């Protein structure tokens, strides 16, 4: 997200530094101060920072690999580092298995590797262990923190305006006015080139804005703001309320009853621990994707009745072997073990049967409208193209009743949910709309840095970051991979631009929960900071074909790449040897995660 708010703001007065010209000692200053008509320069100027916008995983990878590379140390210089943004969100998402197993969730240069010590849940690393390790690594950096939201990055050369769309958000008028009040402030008398940028930060806790000055800025804000597409029949109070203003962190909105108790939520807010789902509630999830799966898992874990469906279907989410664990093993009454769907005979939508008796999975429907109905949400659906049905635990295919705008219930499923307070499939206790990320919305880097022109940073033959022409402002991680014009939806598999080569390389990596996931973002961020120049990469799960060939030769490198993407990578040497059908001694030179630093 475009970042951030909270309570740990840096104190302007405490952080100011005194600049004095030609002051040899205190006695000389005392003499000069008594001379009438002499101008003694004694100007307090704000601190100039190296600002990292973000406090999540890639912000930490960025800071750590800067510190641990010679190039990064030169870039940091003597500047104090300030992280601006919401707290790392991962400790407060529902405890679930991430989209990758443990060995794929390691990061370059980390001493607190998420891949070490965590349990597996549903075939993926425990999300709360992951979050705790990220926070532990951040704590070792000793950086300053400003838990505020970036409204605008200004250049010294101009007086750029804030995104006009801010005012259209709920409460946005006050945010706009607070920011506009500060961006008119004159620039302090810095030496040329000393503070070429400043960030206008907004603190929603007290409704004020302030300015922070920067010599360099790295933007590591993640994939974007959660997208809530309007229903077919247009927005209602239910759906507009699911679009949380970007300056309200969960730490802020969860303290407000009307935000915390919303019945209709975007996918990211829905899976926060602050949002409690009670046993037996009915939940409707209207799209697939990684966050859609997490919402479905939350419903399953809380023993809720679940209707989960997509416009075309849900098959795409099960290309990831880890996600197969949501499905029922047809030979038992339990969930499957992680596996590639092609290896376990899941060939079509009708093979997708949830392992929970209260969960149904469907296709061919879209959200037509959503409105408050007493203690529930009235959900009306419309048919999408193709087949329109929802399948229950008994493999019954119940059609969409177009006239009633709802799913019908099989006899078995009707008996299963008969004791619940809300029974009809048109009324739900929770409606979750997981439509992915809105990469050009208020809060995205494009919004607060729209006036800056970014160009590709190319390392290892591909895009690894974006930067301004002066090299002082960069965009890294998922924020780069989702920046308008650079996302996976714009790739050309036959193209030869740095962006195209990045997404072509991405297709060789182990399958990830989302296209711009931790695997590619971690290796790209380390490359952008030239970390591997000092610490060559031997992680078999992220090495390029050329790097692999340099260790094991072209033939084995090709075999490794061919099998790496369709599975969750390789976790040990025996697994690698089996996949390559080889006992070649050179394979033992490869590693299966980044080493624990220190």
């Amino acid at each position: 997200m475009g970042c951030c708010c909270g309570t740990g703001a840096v104190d302007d007065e405490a952080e100011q530094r005194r600049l004095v010209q030609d002051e040899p000692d205190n006695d000389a200053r005392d003499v000069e101060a008594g001379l009438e008509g002499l101008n003694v320069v004694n100007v307090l100027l704000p601190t100039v920072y190296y600002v990292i916008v973000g406090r999540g995983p890639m912000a930490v990878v960025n800071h750590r690999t800067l510190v641990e590379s010679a190039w990064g140390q030169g870039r940091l210089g003597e500047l104090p580092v300030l992280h601006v943004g919401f707290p790392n969100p991962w400790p407060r998402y529902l405890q679930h298995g991430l989209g990758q197993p443990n060995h794929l969730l390691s990061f370059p240069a980390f001493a607190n590797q998420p891949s070490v010590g965590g349990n597996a849940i549903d075939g993926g690393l425990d999300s709360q262990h992951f979050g705790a390790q990220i926070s532990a690594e951040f704590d070792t950096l000793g950086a300053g923190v400003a838990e505020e939201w970036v409204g605008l990055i200004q250049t010294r050369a101009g007086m750029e305006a804030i995104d006009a769309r801010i005012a259209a958000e709920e409460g946005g008028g006050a945010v706009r006015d607070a920011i506009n009040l500060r961006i008119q402030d004159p620039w302090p008398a810095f030496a040329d080139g000393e503070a070429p940028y400043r960030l206008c930060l907004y603190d929603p806790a007290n409704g004020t804005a302030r300015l922070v000055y920067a010599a360099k800025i790295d933007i590591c804000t993640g994939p974007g703001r959660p997208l809530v597409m309007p229903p077919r029949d247009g927005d209602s109070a239910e759906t507009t309320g699911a679009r949380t203003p970007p300056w309200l962190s969960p730490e802020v909105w969860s303290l407000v009853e009307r935000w915390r108790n919303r019945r209709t939520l975007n996918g990211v807010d829905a899976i926060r621990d602050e949002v409690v789902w009670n046993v037996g509630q009915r939940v409707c999830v209207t799209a697939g994707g990684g966050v859609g799966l997490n919402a479905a898992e939350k419903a399953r874990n809380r023993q809720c009745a679940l209707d989960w469906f997509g416009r075309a279907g849900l098959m795409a989410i099960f290309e990831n072997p880890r996600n197969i664990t949501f499905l029922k093993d047809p030979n038992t009454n339990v969930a499957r073990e992680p596996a590639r769907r092609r290896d376990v005979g899941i060939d079509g939508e009708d093979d997708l049967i949830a392992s929970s008796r209260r969960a149904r999975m469907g296709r061919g429907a879209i959200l037509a409208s959503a409105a408050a109905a007493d203690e529930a949400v009235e959900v009306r659906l419309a048919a999408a193209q193709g087949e329109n049905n929802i399948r229950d635990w008994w493999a019954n295919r119940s059609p969409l009743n177009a006239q009633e705008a709802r799913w019908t219930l099989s006899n078995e499923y009707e008996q299963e949910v008969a004791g619940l307070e809300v029974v009809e499939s048109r009324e739900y206790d929770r409606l979750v709309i997981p439509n992915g990320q809105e990469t050009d919305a208020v809060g995205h880097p494009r919004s607060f840095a729209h006036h800056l022109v970014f160009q590709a940073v190319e390392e290892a033959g591909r895009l690894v970051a974006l930067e301004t022409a002066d090299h002082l402002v960069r965009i890294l991680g998922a924020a780069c991979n989702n920046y308008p014009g650079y996302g996976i939806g714009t790739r050309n598999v036959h193209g030869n631009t740095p962006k195209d080569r990045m997404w072509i390389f991405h297709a060789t990596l182990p399958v990830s929960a989302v296209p711009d996931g931790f695997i590619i973002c971690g290796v790209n961020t380390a490359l952008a900071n030239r970390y591997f120049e000092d610490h060559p990469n031997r992680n078999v799960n992220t090495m390029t074909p050329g790097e692999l060939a340099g260790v094991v030769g072209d033939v084995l490198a090709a075999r490794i790449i061919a099998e790496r993407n369709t599975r969750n990578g390789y976790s040990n040497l025996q697994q690698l040897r089996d996949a390559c059908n080889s006992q070649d001694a050179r394979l033992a030179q490869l590693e299966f995660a980044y080493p624990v630093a220190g």
Side-chain angles (χ1 to χ4, degrees), residues 60-99:
V60 181
V61 173
N62 178 47
H63 194 165
R64 175 54 68 199
T65 53
L66 282 169
V67 170
E68 299 298 333
S69 69
W71 181 90
Q73 292 169 13
R75 179 174 171 85
L76 288 170
E78 299 299 318
L79 293 166
V81 179
L82 177 67
H83 281 257
V84 177
F86 295 154
N88 168 28
W90 285 96
R92 294 308 304 271
Y93 289 140
L94 83 150
Q95 188 172 24
H96 67 282
L98 294 178

Side-chain angles (χ1 to χ4, degrees), residues 1-4 50-63 66 75 81-85 149-154 197-199 201 214 216-224 439 443-454 464-468 471-484 521 525 528-529:
M1 296 186 188
C3 263
C4 311
Y50 191 116
V51 173
I52 298 176
V53 185
R55 291 168 61 193
M58 281 312 114
V60 181
V61 173
N62 178 47
H63 194 165
L66 282 169
R75 179 174 171 85
V81 179
L82 177 67
H83 281 257
V84 177
W149 181 72
V150 178
L152 181 68
I153 295 176
Q154 283 186 300
Y197 296 97
R198 69 183 184 185
L199 302 89
L201 309 184
K216 299 181 179 75
I217 303 171
D218 288 345
I219 301 170
C220 308
T221 52
T439 59
H444 189 272
R446 179 79 169 264
S447 172
F448 59 80
H450 57 272
H451 50 284
L452 303 179
V453 178
F454 292 97
V464 296
L466 299 172
E467 68 178 3
T468 51
H471 312 297
L472 300 180
V473 182
R474 303 189 300 170
I475 305 177
L476 302 114
C480 166
N481 298 355
N482 285 270
Y483 198 80
C521 290
T525 300
N529 292 334

Side-chain angles (χ1 to χ4, degrees), residues 88-97 121 126-129 131-132 249-251 253-255 259-262 265-278 281 294-295 297-299 301-302 430:
N88 168 28
W90 285 96
R92 294 308 304 271
Y93 289 140
L94 83 150
Q95 188 172 24
H96 67 282
I121 300 176
D126 180 344
S127 62
Q128 293 193 354
H129 171 79
S249 74
E251 289 73 22
W253 64 251
S254 64
L255 299 176
W259 286 104
R260 185 178 64 253
N261 293 336
R262 286 173 291 172
L265 301 105
N266 65 66
V268 173
D269 287 355
I271 65 171
R272 293 282 303 195
D273 280 342
E274 292 90 343
V275 178
V276 178
W277 297 1
N278 295 321
Q281 288 187 323
N294 295 153
E297 290 175 325
K298 182 173 183 176
N301 296 350
R302 295 300 299 162
R430 298 282 188 179

Side-chain angles (χ1 to χ4, degrees), residues 1 222-229 242-243 265-269 285-293 432-441 444 482 513-516:
M1 296 186 188
R225 184 178 176 187
L227 173 63
V228 178
M229 295 173 60
R243 301 186 186 102
L265 301 105
N266 65 66
V268 173
D269 287 355
V285 180
T286 63
V291 177
L293 172 68
V432 182
I433 309 176
N435 295 143
Q437 280 71 43
E438 191 172 6
T439 59
D440 195 19
H444 189 272
N482 285 270
V514 292
D516 53 345

Side-chain angles (χ1 to χ4, degrees), residues 179-359:
I179 293 173
N180 280 337
L181 184 66
R182 294 310 306 267
I183 63 177
Q184 305 304 319
D185 290 357
W187 282 69
F190 290 109
D192 288 346
E194 186 177 7
Y197 296 97
R198 69 183 184 185
L199 302 89
C200 189
L201 309 184
Y202 177 76
D203 184 348
N206 56 33
T208 61
R210 69 186 182 101
L211 299 170
V212 166
Y213 290 84
K216 299 181 179 75
I217 303 171
D218 288 345
I219 301 170
C220 308
T221 52
R225 184 178 176 187
L227 173 63
V228 178
M229 295 173 60
R232 185 201 64 180
D233 298 340
D235 274 324
S236 64
E238 283 292 317
T239 55
T240 57
R243 301 186 186 102
T244 312
W247 47 84
L248 293 184
S249 74
E251 289 73 22
V252 171
W253 64 251
S254 64
L255 299 176
V256 180
E257 185 175 359
R258 70 182 184 89
W259 286 104
R260 185 178 64 253
N261 293 336
R262 286 173 291 172
R263 295 186 179 276
T264 301
L265 301 105
N266 65 66
V268 173
D269 287 355
I271 65 171
R272 293 282 303 195
D273 280 342
E274 292 90 343
V275 178
V276 178
W277 297 1
N278 295 321
V279 173
Q281 288 187 323
R282 295 212 60 203
V283 176
C284 179
V285 180
T286 63
V291 177
L293 172 68
N294 295 153
E297 290 175 325
K298 182 173 183 176
R300 177 202 62 190
N301 296 350
R302 295 300 299 162
Q303 301 178 48
C304 297
L306 168 70
D307 285 346
W308 179 28
F309 54 89
R311 177 186 297 267
L314 300 172
M315 181 64 79
I317 190 66
F318 297 102
E319 295 296 340
N320 188 329
R322 166 266 186 259
N323 298 342
I324 295 292
T325 57
F326 187 81
L327 303 178
K328 174 185 174 182
D329 188 326
N331 300 315
T332 70
N333 293 328
V334 300
R336 292 180 181 271
E337 294 296 321
R340 293 185 291 187
R341 70 173 185 84
R342 73 185 189 192
D343 294 336
V344 293
I346 297 175
D347 300 316
E349 288 287 328
D350 288 341
D351 297 324
L352 303 181
I353 305 296
S355 59
S356 168
R357 296 170 70 98
R358 289 187 171 181

